[in-house]
Short mmCIF file of all heavy atoms in Angstrom, two decimals:
data_model
loop_
_atom_site.label_atom_id
_atom_site.label_comp_id
_atom_site.label_asym_id
_atom_site.label_seq_id
_atom_site.Cartn_x
_atom_site.Cartn_y
_atom_site.Cartn_z
N ASN A 2 -7.66 -6.67 3.79
CA ASN A 2 -8.21 -5.34 3.99
C ASN A 2 -9.70 -5.27 3.65
O ASN A 2 -10.23 -6.14 2.96
CB ASN A 2 -7.39 -4.28 3.25
CG ASN A 2 -7.57 -4.27 1.75
OD1 ASN A 2 -8.60 -4.70 1.22
ND2 ASN A 2 -6.58 -3.77 1.05
N ARG A 11 -19.34 -8.74 -2.51
CA ARG A 11 -20.11 -8.37 -3.70
C ARG A 11 -20.16 -9.48 -4.74
O ARG A 11 -21.16 -9.65 -5.44
CB ARG A 11 -19.51 -7.10 -4.35
CG ARG A 11 -19.79 -5.86 -3.57
CD ARG A 11 -19.25 -4.65 -4.31
NE ARG A 11 -18.68 -3.76 -3.30
CZ ARG A 11 -17.65 -2.96 -3.49
NH1 ARG A 11 -17.05 -2.93 -4.66
NH2 ARG A 11 -17.22 -2.21 -2.52
N GLU A 20 -13.42 -2.16 -12.73
CA GLU A 20 -12.58 -1.46 -11.73
C GLU A 20 -12.45 -2.27 -10.45
O GLU A 20 -11.40 -2.20 -9.79
CB GLU A 20 -13.09 -0.04 -11.46
CG GLU A 20 -14.50 0.08 -10.93
CD GLU A 20 -15.58 0.10 -12.02
OE1 GLU A 20 -15.25 0.11 -13.22
OE2 GLU A 20 -16.75 0.04 -11.66
N GLN A 30 -1.38 -9.22 -7.57
CA GLN A 30 -0.08 -9.05 -8.21
C GLN A 30 0.99 -8.55 -7.24
O GLN A 30 2.17 -8.87 -7.40
CB GLN A 30 -0.19 -8.11 -9.41
CG GLN A 30 -0.88 -8.74 -10.58
CD GLN A 30 -1.02 -7.79 -11.77
OE1 GLN A 30 -0.85 -6.59 -11.67
NE2 GLN A 30 -1.36 -8.36 -12.91
N ILE A 36 4.96 -10.88 0.27
CA ILE A 36 5.42 -12.11 0.94
C ILE A 36 6.93 -12.10 1.07
O ILE A 36 7.47 -12.44 2.14
CB ILE A 36 4.90 -13.36 0.19
CG1 ILE A 36 3.39 -13.50 0.37
CG2 ILE A 36 5.65 -14.62 0.68
CD1 ILE A 36 2.77 -14.59 -0.51
N ARG A 81 6.33 -6.53 13.85
CA ARG A 81 5.65 -7.77 13.45
C ARG A 81 4.23 -7.49 12.99
O ARG A 81 3.76 -8.02 11.97
CB ARG A 81 5.65 -8.77 14.59
CG ARG A 81 6.98 -9.39 14.84
CD ARG A 81 6.98 -10.30 16.03
NE ARG A 81 8.30 -10.86 16.28
CZ ARG A 81 8.60 -11.59 17.35
NH1 ARG A 81 7.68 -11.86 18.26
NH2 ARG A 81 9.83 -12.05 17.52
N PRO A 141 4.22 3.41 5.60
CA PRO A 141 2.94 3.96 6.10
C PRO A 141 2.49 3.31 7.41
O PRO A 141 1.97 3.99 8.30
CB PRO A 141 1.94 3.65 4.98
CG PRO A 141 2.75 3.44 3.75
CD PRO A 141 4.08 2.91 4.21
#
Side-chain angles (χ1 to χ4, degrees):
N2 74 24
R11 286 184 219 148
E20 59 275 354
Q30 286 179 347
I36 289 171
R81 287 176 182 173

